[in-house]
Amino acid sequence: MVGCRYFHPVHLLTYLLIISATYASQGDRSPAHTQCLRHCHDNICKHDPPPSGILKNPKFNMLVWDCESECEYSCMWKTVTLFQMHDYAIPQFHGKWPFARVGGIQEPASMFFSLLNAAAHLYSIVQFRKLVPSIAPMYWTWHGYFSVALNAWFWSTIFHTRDFLFTQHMDYISAAGLVTYQLYAYFARVLIYRHTFYTRAIAFVTAFLFFLHSYYMLFVHFDFGLHVRVSVFIGILNALAWFSWSAYVWTKQPYVWKACLTLMLLFLCVALELLDFAPIAWVFDAHSLWHAGTAPLTLLWYSFIVDDCNYMLKSGRQAS
Ligand SMILES: [Zn+2]
């Protein structure tokens, strides 16, 4: 009979320990996890200094693995083992999958791929500077894009190394800054042949809205749902804008296929992230694969902006 085993007192206890989490779909809310944490805190962390067992990796202390976070980490795996033993789905903890840390790095794959993205931007800006004369239109606008992107990938690397509220907020805000700047770059590009007043007005409006959003998120209330909706809205607007412009100039500027392909593949990567599966080998989850996917797309995007800057230059335009 299904569920009969839970009538054994030991199994019943186990069942009670994890059943509420099954409904809540959150490992950190399961009684097994909270009890483990309480035990760890009361019996280990309250000792001054804590017994050496819990802090068995003192070199990790550099990455702020203190007694409490070591308790979180070991209790997370104890809870996962318990869930697996009873054939429950792998639970998430505080909205994240359980990851095996490497050298104290909390999400090694996402951290590595974030670094790879930063490297892709660094490599690409060097190529851009080699191939595009500094008098080309959009030359400095794309340098601005590089700076904003490097900042975003820097915080992404830090956040995936160690997840704290501060590093999380900096990652989210910096990523929103990147999509906002891409939208600004679109307007700067399509208004390039107009008076600079229009570009400056757009720069002012986008920067103002971005700082308003960041101020609200960081100092009033960090509404994660609102933040995601705003970022997705700007991302979709950005893609639609570049797609329509590409369709409009396709015959004269055939290289725009690079921009279209970048955006289409970017959407595929977003779709991959929506699959949100438990980490393969406790390392590779959908989010890390999304970061892996954006690194090669960076090269394609810069290849497009190199062609575009040189096209404008050949058309007799110079930076004003
Ligand atoms: Zn990330």
Side-chain angles (χ1 to χ4, degrees):
M1 184 180 149
V2 175
C4 252
R5 57 189 173 141
Y6 298 124
F7 288 100
H8 186 281
V10 175
H11 290 147
L12 180 65
L13 178 66
T14 312
Y15 179 71
L16 289 172
L17 283 171
I18 60 179
I19 190 66
S20 63
T22 310
Y23 290 130
S25 302
Q26 287 290 329
D28 58 281
R29 283 191 224 153
S30 74
H33 189 254
T34 47
Q35 280 182 22
C36 175
L37 270 187
R38 197 175 310 127
H39 175 82
C40 192
H41 174 77
D42 292 348
N43 295 289
I44 300 173
C45 295
K46 273 192 176 171
H47 287 266
D48 190 25
S52 56
I54 188 77
L55 294 172
K56 48 184 176 287
N57 299 302
K59 65 180 177 185
F60 290 178
N61 290 357
M62 208 181 84
L63 295 173
V64 205
W65 284 102
D66 56 9
C67 190
E68 300 292 344
S69 51
E70 286 287 348
C71 283
E72 272 279 353
Y73 186 75
S74 63
C75 286
M76 176 182 80
W77 287 114
K78 281 177 188 163
T79 310
V80 169
T81 307
L82 197 62
F83 271 63
Q84 283 184 310
M85 273 167 56
H86 293 273
D87 295 330
Y88 287 106
I90 304 295
Q92 288 195 334
F93 294 80
H94 305 289
K96 296 179 97 168
W97 294 110
F99 290 99
R101 67 183 176 192
V102 175
I105 295 164
Q106 213 164 346
E107 294 174 41
S110 288
M111 180 268 185
F112 173 76
F113 293 133
S114 298
L115 266 184
L116 200 65
N117 276 276
H121 278 278
L122 275 166
Y123 170 80
S124 301
I125 197 72
V126 170
Q127 296 305 309
F128 178 85
R129 290 173 66 91
K130 272 186 201 164
L131 299 168
V132 177
S134 61
I135 54 163
M138 297 286 289
Y139 184 83
W140 294 110
T141 305
W142 290 123
H143 276 72
Y145 168 73
F146 161 75
S147 311
V148 173
L150 199 64
N151 173 68
W153 290 113
F154 168 78
W155 283 111
S156 178
T157 305
I158 299 289
F159 168 58
H160 290 304
T161 300
R162 281 298 270 124
D163 175 2
F164 297 115
L165 206 59
F166 174 71
T167 57
Q168 184 194 57
H169 289 181
M170 290 309 289
D171 178 44
Y172 292 171
I173 293 294
S174 304
L178 182 55
V179 262
T180 309
Y181 193 93
Q182 275 175 331
L183 189 63
Y184 158 70
Y186 164 78
F187 284 112
R189 173 61 186 91
V190 295
L191 295 171
I192 198 82
Y193 300 135
R194 309 267 173 182
H195 196 278
T196 50
F197 166 79
Y198 295 108
T199 314
R200 283 179 191 159
I202 293 286
F204 177 79
V205 171
T206 45
F208 177 74
L209 290 176
F210 171 70
F211 284 114
L212 196 68
H213 176 73
S214 303
Y215 177 80
Y216 178 77
M217 287 289 145
L218 295 175
F219 300 109
V220 181
H221 169 55
F222 201 98
D223 184 337
F224 181 69
L226 173 72
H227 182 70
V228 170
R229 284 196 297 278
V230 168
S231 301
V232 168
F233 174 74
I234 301 171
I236 291 175
L237 198 66
N238 185 41
L240 287 176
W242 282 104
F243 275 135
S244 342
W245 175 77
S246 300
Y248 184 67
V249 299
W250 192 277
T251 45
K252 274 195 298 178
Q253 295 155 244
Y255 60 83
V256 292
W257 70 266
K258 294 177 183 176
C260 294
L261 187 60
T262 307
L263 292 166
M264 282 193 292
L265 292 175
L266 208 59
F267 270 94
L268 270 183
C269 290
V270 171
L272 180 74
E273 182 161 25
L274 293 179
L275 294 177
D276 198 22
F277 49 83
I280 301 162
W282 302 119
V283 173
F284 299 99
D285 69 326
H287 186 76
S288 68
L289 297 183
W290 143 255
H291 284 339
T294 52
L297 295 184
T298 301
L299 306 184
L300 190 58
W301 182 257
Y302 274 81
S303 173
F304 156 68
I305 63 176
V306 164
D307 288 350
D308 194 46
C309 285
N310 285 328
Y311 168 83
M312 286 187 281
L313 201 59
K314 273 186 205 142
S315 315
R317 290 275 161 184
Q318 291 195 353
S320 47

